[in-house]
Amino acid sequence: VKVHMPEWHRGAFDDPRTTLVHQDARKWVEDHKGYGYDVILSDLPGPHPGSPSTYLYTQEYFRHIAEALSDDGVFVLQSGACNETYPYLFSAVHKTLESVSEFKYVRGYYGLVTTFQMPWGFILASKSHDPLELTPDEIAKRLAARGVTENRYYVPRFHQAMFTLPEYMLRAIETHGTVLTDADPFVWTA
């Protein structure tokens, strides 16, 4: 990505705030309990059969994440397809995050990921911040204060719409959402 897709990362690897770690994600999180991170972003491979990534979508793992975050911290992860034909991973991850008592707010959202050519799901979990409380004016102020002047997708007026899941996804969370554990993890079958 760094060499061949600079239009995707737009210099993020060279930002002094970036620390890129290549390590087992579960072990890294377990080793960083109490560090008080503000943000943890998780863009991991799907839970395929026999893959260690299977255990990166479980209640136990999410509890480790909560323990590594500050009280104001935010956790965001990609959570699979957000379409009507295969909502299973997203719905299970959503339900699993809701079961982690440290996370007061669990908000699913989605966007069109052109490389997958389908809507892709993400979930934000926080101990104290509800993204639905942000107004377009507040978002615009925060972007301006941080010097963010160009967004091709995320803009203040679009924020609430992103967090408005389609009815089929809300139904999937209720009907297919199960709590994933190390003893009973999700295994991708599609």
Side-chain angles (χ1 to χ4, degrees):
V1 171
K2 185 175 183 180
V3 173
H4 300 290
M5 300 199 273
E7 67 279 4
W8 284 27
H9 68 75
R10 299 173 54 173
F13 292 104
D14 301 319
D15 189 308
R17 298 170 295 179
T18 299
T19 301
L20 185 61
V21 178
H22 292 278
Q23 184 179 332
D24 178 292
R26 176 117 178 199
K27 180 173 179 3
W28 186 88
V29 169
E30 289 173 359
D31 291 346
H32 287 80
K33 292 178 186 176
Y35 270 61
Y37 289 102
D38 295 324
V39 178
I40 296 177
L41 302 175
S42 180
D43 185 11
L44 302 166
H48 297 284
S51 167
S53 62
T54 301
Y55 301 102
L56 301 178
Y57 296 90
T58 66
Q59 186 181 59
E60 292 88 346
Y61 177 69
F62 295 150
R63 284 192 179 127
H64 294 309
I65 292 282
E67 292 171 348
L69 286 170
S70 70
D71 289 340
D72 286 336
V74 174
F75 173 52
V76 177
L77 77 155
Q78 75 83 13
S79 48
C82 203
N83 62 13
E84 197 163 7
T85 58
Y86 201 81
Y88 310 111
L89 177 60
F90 182 93
S91 60
V93 170
H94 198 286
K95 192 63 82 172
T96 302
L97 281 165
E98 288 177 330
S99 76
V100 176
S101 62
E102 293 88 346
F103 291 129
K104 183 176 178 182
Y105 300 102
V106 175
R107 303 290 188 221
Y109 64 100
Y110 72 104
L112 297 175
V113 177
T114 55
T115 53
F116 299 151
Q117 299 197 0
M118 68 175 68
W120 206 253
F122 304 88
I123 301 174
L124 181 149
S126 175
K127 298 174 185 180
S128 59
H129 297 287
D130 185 354
L132 295 178
E133 292 176 358
L134 290 171
T135 66
D137 287 342
E138 179 61 27
I139 294 167
K141 286 179 197 172
R142 290 181 185 193
L143 291 173
R146 292 169 174 90
V148 178
T149 58
E150 181 186 339
N151 280 320
R152 294 183 313 211
Y153 187 80
Y154 178 78
V155 294
R157 68 177 169 72
F158 189 56
H159 178 81
Q160 294 290 327
M162 277 179 37
F163 285 94
T164 305
L165 292 174
E167 288 302 312
Y168 65 81
M169 288 308 299
L170 296 176
R171 280 193 308 275
I173 292 167
E174 291 307 313
T175 59
H176 299 295
T178 59
V179 175
L180 305 172
T181 64
D182 286 351
D184 191 19
F186 187 91
V187 178
W188 204 304
T189 58

